[in-house]
């Protein structure tokens, strides 16, 4: 058996399949492309789904990858078992209608036994119960004894209707000492003795909606081998966490915590969780995922916060996750060098999120302690699931920590209620995604020679190659039909790189299609979305093409401006600025970028001036096509998280800006006309957003602003150039009036205090003041209450004030009255409830609001009754 590092194993696998005529592709981003059904890539085959269905043609019939994957379905098991991870790498070789079982089985065996030198007598095979073909290959060709080929009913891969088929797993026997010692322990047992290291999926059937299986004309191979699992075997480790792909992170965390791995099972779980989650969060952020409260951002936030929680279990109270980036970047220096390139950015995102969560933990613990106090007072021992879920969902407070703190007070969590609330939230999120994300329905393109389709900006006519409606191919489309069209050649630019797709007309001999968007399928095929506005359009006919070039020119102005903005931001704010997203249409541009503080007004003005200087210099915009390596040597910037082919397109504005880009641009910068920033704001941890306008959009914006200035100056009865002076004068007058009002309110309050004190009641030896007063807001009401309480020195005060269609209440009690049983929070809770509201607070001070001011008198009477019941 060979002794290999994780990097050596990955390279050996890819080199092996390159020798078998496989196209080696780098890992796709964890963010799925054109697949809204997935939050994150979770399997090696996920990026190739259209190729497996046969609807689209792959760049090669044989492909091999080491794919980054994230799965969180079993996140609770991470650290508790030897194999569960949130992030892992899946080694895979894929055949799209090329080789099948014979080759897939033979090559898997060759790689494992000859390249890795695994002992043949330790390898076991599982197949589907009915897969005699696989049995014959394993037994007759590979010479595996029949008693080491196990037939299992579950060895069949399918996810609903579509391509599916039997699978064959390869397991390795790690020895009796790794087993459970139970009678009948064999392949398929849950213990660690028989480890699955490779799964070969033979997609040979197409399942329909009724559960019928039809043999596929072109059969496929989809394999998956866990890099970490095989590494654990080659490195003689009892778990994946002890391999060189994860153990350096464990060492770092153990050093920070001052503990030793292997001495405490509880500590080991936390160390392994930190290692797994630290690796996941680093790779996810490097691929463009940012912490948020929804979608993949929520997955990242959950992973990062679980790591923080387990750090606290180890006694690590301070933020420490940022330095994990250094460890992960070293582990992946060979496979994913972009992590090292982005280290500063990754650390800043993690730092901000970790600091935010430490604040959240403090708030959460305070809220939980309040709930524990209420449970104790009510004589209860179970925290309801809805409350626990609110702590989790609103404040990001881990339910495990809630459960742990509850147990310290001999209390429990209603986990069933929590799970129910969690499931309801997931359903809401799933429904929201379905509403907001348009599903890409890909038609069967197997009959289309996609290599013959092309994009030519000057094309004026084209042949209609395919019409499809709701994903189904049709021969003809009629007036009113919503339709998608594929042409053999098109001048329409397809949506991509933040730029919207072109619009225009496709005019045939008998009808016309109004194109309202142009997009690309995952293989690059351009399709046009629109509606037949008159007559009909048929497949095969020749049509005239008319792009809305006026709209495209507006888009080009905004797109070139985003390049100038990007370069100017780097110049003003620093080289750490990177584009993290953009949206360019004919009316405005939106530019998202990495930066960790608000951009000041002075910095925005400087950026705007730099961009406009480049525009006024009338600089030529050049475009060349070259290789990625040459583009990098030129200093061209690539978009954050984008995946590029070997040939790239570089857009250059002299030496000021060089970016890889496929969009449309102006020929010279002066065509942009004017660049004007209209807003700048934060949109997430370490993320800012600028919105701007150019050309006619800038003209319309400035015209609207000028109109507002004229309208405002008319209202102020002054000239526009004197508006500031006029406003300053008015502000001064307002401040003077506010002082007068405040003085009058204070005088009025003092008079009300006298009236209130004249109506003091003695309830069981406690002085009580209850009454309605005039107060503009809660702050004034509290001030009046303070004056009454201070004059009393000992007593209880309950006041109410009507404010429009609402009513405010406050309750206060001196310390000696609290000792006698008075609780202001409970008084105010019931008082406000009587006026259609709610609230609460401390025993000595509480406030609340109500929606029924007409019931203020009734509410204050209830306050008196509650005080009587509280006094001991």
């Amino acid at each position: 058996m060979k002794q290999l590092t994780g990097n050596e194993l990955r390279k050996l696998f890819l080199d092996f399949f390159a020798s078998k005529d496989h196209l080696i592709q780098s890992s796709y981003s964890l963010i799925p492309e054109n697949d809204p059904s997935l939050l994150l890539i979770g399997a090696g085959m996920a990026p190739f789904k259209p190729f497996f269905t046969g609807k689209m043609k792959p760049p090669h019939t044989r492909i091999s990858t080491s794919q980054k994957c994230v799965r969180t379905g079993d996140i609770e098991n991470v650290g508790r078992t030897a194999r569960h991870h949130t992030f892992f790498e899946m080694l895979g070789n894929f055949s799209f209608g090329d080789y099948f079982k014979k080759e897939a089985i033979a090559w898997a065996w060759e790689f494992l036994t000859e390249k890795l030198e695994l002992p043949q007598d330790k390898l076991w095979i599982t197949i589907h119960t009915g897969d005699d073909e696989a049995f014959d290959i394993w037994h007759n060709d590979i010479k595996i004894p029949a008693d080491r080929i196990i037939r299992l009913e579950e060895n069949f891969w399918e996810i609903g209707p579509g391509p599916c088929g039997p699978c064959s797993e390869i397991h390795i026997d790690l020895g009796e000492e790794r087993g459970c010692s139970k009678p009948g322990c064999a392949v398929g047992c849950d213990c660690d003795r028989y480890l699955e290291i490779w799964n070969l999926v033979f997609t040979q059937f197409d399942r329909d909606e009724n559960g019928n299986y039809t043999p596929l004309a072109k059969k496929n191979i989809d394999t998956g081998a866990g890099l970490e699992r095989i590494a654990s075997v080659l490195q003689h480790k009892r778990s994946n966490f002890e391999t060189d792909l994860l153990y350096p992170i464990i060492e770092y965390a153990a050093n920070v915590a001052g503990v030793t791995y292997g001495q405490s099972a509880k500590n080991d779980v936390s160390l392994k969780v930190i290692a797994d989650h630290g690796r996941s969060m680093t790779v996810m952020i490097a691929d463009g995922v940012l912490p948020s409260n929804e979608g993949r951002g929520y997955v990242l936030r959950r992973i990062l916060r679980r790591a923080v929680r387990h750090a606290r279990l180890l006694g690590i109270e301070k933020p420490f996750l940022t330095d994990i980036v250094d460890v992960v970047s070293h582990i992946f220096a060979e496979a994913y060098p972009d992590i090292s390139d982005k280290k500063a950015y990754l650390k800043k995102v993690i730092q901000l999120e970790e600091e935010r969560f430490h604040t959240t933990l403090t708030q959460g613990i305070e809220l939980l302690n309040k709930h524990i106090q209420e449970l104790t007072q009510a004589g209860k021992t179970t925290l309801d699931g809805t409350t626990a879920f609110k702590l989790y969902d609103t404040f990001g407070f881990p339910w495990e920590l809630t459960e742990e703190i509850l147990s310290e007070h001999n209390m429990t969590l209603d986990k069933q209620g929590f799970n129910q609330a969690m499931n309801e939230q997931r359903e809401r999120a799933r429904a929201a995604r379905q509403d907001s994300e348009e599903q890409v329905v890909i038609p069967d393109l197997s009959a289309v020679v996609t290599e013959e389709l092309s994009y030519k900006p000057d094309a004026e006519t084209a042949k209609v190659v395919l019409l499809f409606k709701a994903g189904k191919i049709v021969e003809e489309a009629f007036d009113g039909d919503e339709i998608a069209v594929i042409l053999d050649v098109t001048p329409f630019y397809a949506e991509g790189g933040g730029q919207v797709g072109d619009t225009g007309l496709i005019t045939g001999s008998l009808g016309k299609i109004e194109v309202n968007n142009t997009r690309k399928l995952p293989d690059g095929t351009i399709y046009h979305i629109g509606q037949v506005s008159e007559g009909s359009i048929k497949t095969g006919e020749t049509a005239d093409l008319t792009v809305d070039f006026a709209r495209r020119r507006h888009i080009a102005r905004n797109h070139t401006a985003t390049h100038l903005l990007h370069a100017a931001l780097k110049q003003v704010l620093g080289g750490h600025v990177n584009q993290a997203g953009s949206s360019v249409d004919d009316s405005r541009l939106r530019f998202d970028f990495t930066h960790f503080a608000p951009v000041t007004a002075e910095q925005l003005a400087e950026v705007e001036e730099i961009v406009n200087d480049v525009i006024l210099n009338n600089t030529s915009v050049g475009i060349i096509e070259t290789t990625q390596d040459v583009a990098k040597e030129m200093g061209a910037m690539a978009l954050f998280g984008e995946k590029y082919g070997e040939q790239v397109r570089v857009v250059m504005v002299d030496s000021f800006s060089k970016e890889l880009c496929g969009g449309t641009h102006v020929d010279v910068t002066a065509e942009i006309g004017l660049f004007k920033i209209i807003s700048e704001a934060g949109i997430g941890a370490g993320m800012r957003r600028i919105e701007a306008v150019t050309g006619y959009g800038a003209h319309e914006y400035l015209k609207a602003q000028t109109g507002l200035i004229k309208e405002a100056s008319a209202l102020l009865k002054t000239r526009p150039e004197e508006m500031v002076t006029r406003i300053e004068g008015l502000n001064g007058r307002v401040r003077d009036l506010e002082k007068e009002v405040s003085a009058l309110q204070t005088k009025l309050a003092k008079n009300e205090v006298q009236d209130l004190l004249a109506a003091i009641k003695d309830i069981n030896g406690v002085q009580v003041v209850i009454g309605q007063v005039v107060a503009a807001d809660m702050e004034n009401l509290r001030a009046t209450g303070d004056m009454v309480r201070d004059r009393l020195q000992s007593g209880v005060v309950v006041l109410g004030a009507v404010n429009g269609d609402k009513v405010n209440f406050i309750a206060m009690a001196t310390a000696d009255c609290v000792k006698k049983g008075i609780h202001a929070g409970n008084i105010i809770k019931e008082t406000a409830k009587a006026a259609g509201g709610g609230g609460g607070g401390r025993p000595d001070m509480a406030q609340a609001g109500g929606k029924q001011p007409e019931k203020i008198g009734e509410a204050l009477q209830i306050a008196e009754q509650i005080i009587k019941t509280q006094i001991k």
Side-chain angles (χ1 to χ4, degrees), residues 193-411:
R193 175 172 178 176
Y194 297 95
L195 176 65
E196 178 200 331
I197 55 176
W198 207 332
N199 186 15
L200 314 176
V201 179
F202 313 124
T203 52
Q204 61 190 82
F205 300 110
D206 184 20
R207 177 189 162 187
D208 64 20
E209 297 283 353
N210 298 318
N212 300 311
Y213 296 88
T214 305
L216 288 168
K218 291 186 176 181
K219 299 177 175 61
N220 307 309
I221 290 293
D222 162 24
T223 79
L227 177 68
E228 292 83 0
R229 288 192 175 203
I230 299 178
S232 72
V233 174
L234 299 178
Q235 295 173 22
H236 305 286
K237 303 298 183 183
R238 293 187 66 86
S239 86
N240 298 357
F241 292 93
E242 294 169 13
T243 68
D244 64 335
L245 295 167
L246 278 157
Y247 193 67
I249 314 175
I250 289 179
E251 289 182 307
Y252 162 74
N255 182 56
V256 174
V259 299
T260 301
Y261 179 75
Q263 291 189 348
S264 162
K266 184 179 178 182
N267 285 349
D268 286 354
V269 168
S270 292
L271 288 170
K272 288 187 281 189
V273 168
I274 291 168
D276 171 88
H277 289 12
R279 198 170 66 148
S280 287
M281 70 185 185
T282 302
V283 180
M284 288 175 72
I285 298 169
D287 270 9
V289 182
L290 286 170
S292 71
N293 285 327
E294 58 185 12
R296 59 184 67 95
Y298 188 75
V299 175
L300 170 60
R301 174 163 283 171
R302 183 186 182 199
I303 287 172
L304 190 150
R305 291 184 170 188
R306 286 189 89 247
V308 173
R309 175 187 168 261
H310 279 275
R312 290 174 72 94
L313 294 178
L314 292 173
I316 304 173
E317 298 289 338
K318 62 180 182 180
F320 85 110
L321 291 178
T322 53
D323 289 338
I324 283 180
V325 174
D326 293 317
V327 186
V328 175
S329 68
H330 179 71
I331 292 171
F332 288 138
E334 182 179 319
Y336 311 115
D338 60 311
I339 293 177
S340 293
D341 296 339
K342 300 169 184 171
K343 274 205 300 187
Y345 169 71
L346 301 178
K347 286 186 173 185
K348 194 66 179 179
V349 173
I350 291 169
Q351 176 195 337
L352 291 172
E353 182 67 15
E354 189 174 8
E355 289 173 351
R356 183 181 290 114
F357 186 47
H358 275 279
T359 302
T360 293
L361 280 176
T362 302
Q363 295 171 338
I365 289 172
E366 289 178 0
L367 287 168
L368 180 56
N369 286 337
K370 178 184 174 184
H371 290 306
I372 290 172
Q373 185 180 12
E374 292 174 351
L375 288 171
T376 301
Q377 290 174 349
K380 297 179 180 179
T381 59
T382 301
L383 180 68
D384 66 279
T386 303
T387 299
F389 181 74
K390 184 177 180 182
L391 283 170
Y392 170 82
D393 191 48
T394 305
F395 301 99
F397 200 72
W399 69 265
E400 301 99 327
L401 190 53
T402 297
E403 194 170 53
E404 185 178 324
I405 293 173
L406 286 170
S407 68
E408 293 170 359
H409 293 79
N410 296 316
M411 294 180 175

Side-chain angles (χ1 to χ4, degrees), residues 707-720:
L708 288 173
I709 291 171
K710 287 181 179 179
E711 186 177 345
S713 65
L715 290 171
L716 292 167
K717 297 179 181 179
T718 188
R719 290 179 297 183

Side-chain angles (χ1 to χ4, degrees), residues 820-840:
K820 292 180 180 180
I822 294 296
H823 192 294
N826 293 338
I827 294 171
I828 212 69
K829 183 178 179 181
E830 296 302 320
T831 301
K833 187 186 295 184

Side-chain angles (χ1 to χ4, degrees), residues 661-682:
C661 181
T664 61
H665 292 272
V666 298
D667 295 323
V668 292
T669 57
E671 292 181 46
I672 297 171
L674 175 69
F675 172 81
K676 181 64 185 171
I677 294 173
I678 58 176
S679 70
E680 189 277 336

Side-chain angles (χ1 to χ4, degrees), residues 121-190:
D121 61 341
K122 296 293 184 182
L123 296 177
W124 289 71
I125 310 302
T126 64
I127 61 172
H128 184 249
T129 49
D131 196 353
D132 294 332
E133 181 184 5
F135 178 87
D136 290 341
I137 297 169
W138 280 116
H139 183 55
N140 299 323
D141 296 355
I142 308 300
K143 307 303 182 185
I144 304 293
D147 60 356
R148 289 221 315 275
I149 304 173
I150 312 299
R151 293 178 184 261
L152 298 174
E153 186 67 34
E154 62 263 28
N155 273 35
F156 195 92
W157 183 90
E158 62 181 337
I159 306 177
C164 57
C167 60
S168 179
E169 299 167 342
I170 305 174
H171 299 250
I172 186 167
D173 182 358
L174 298 175
E176 288 185 21
E177 67 279 7
R178 300 285 291 276
C180 58
S181 301
K182 294 178 182 177
C185 177
V187 174
C189 183
D190 289 335

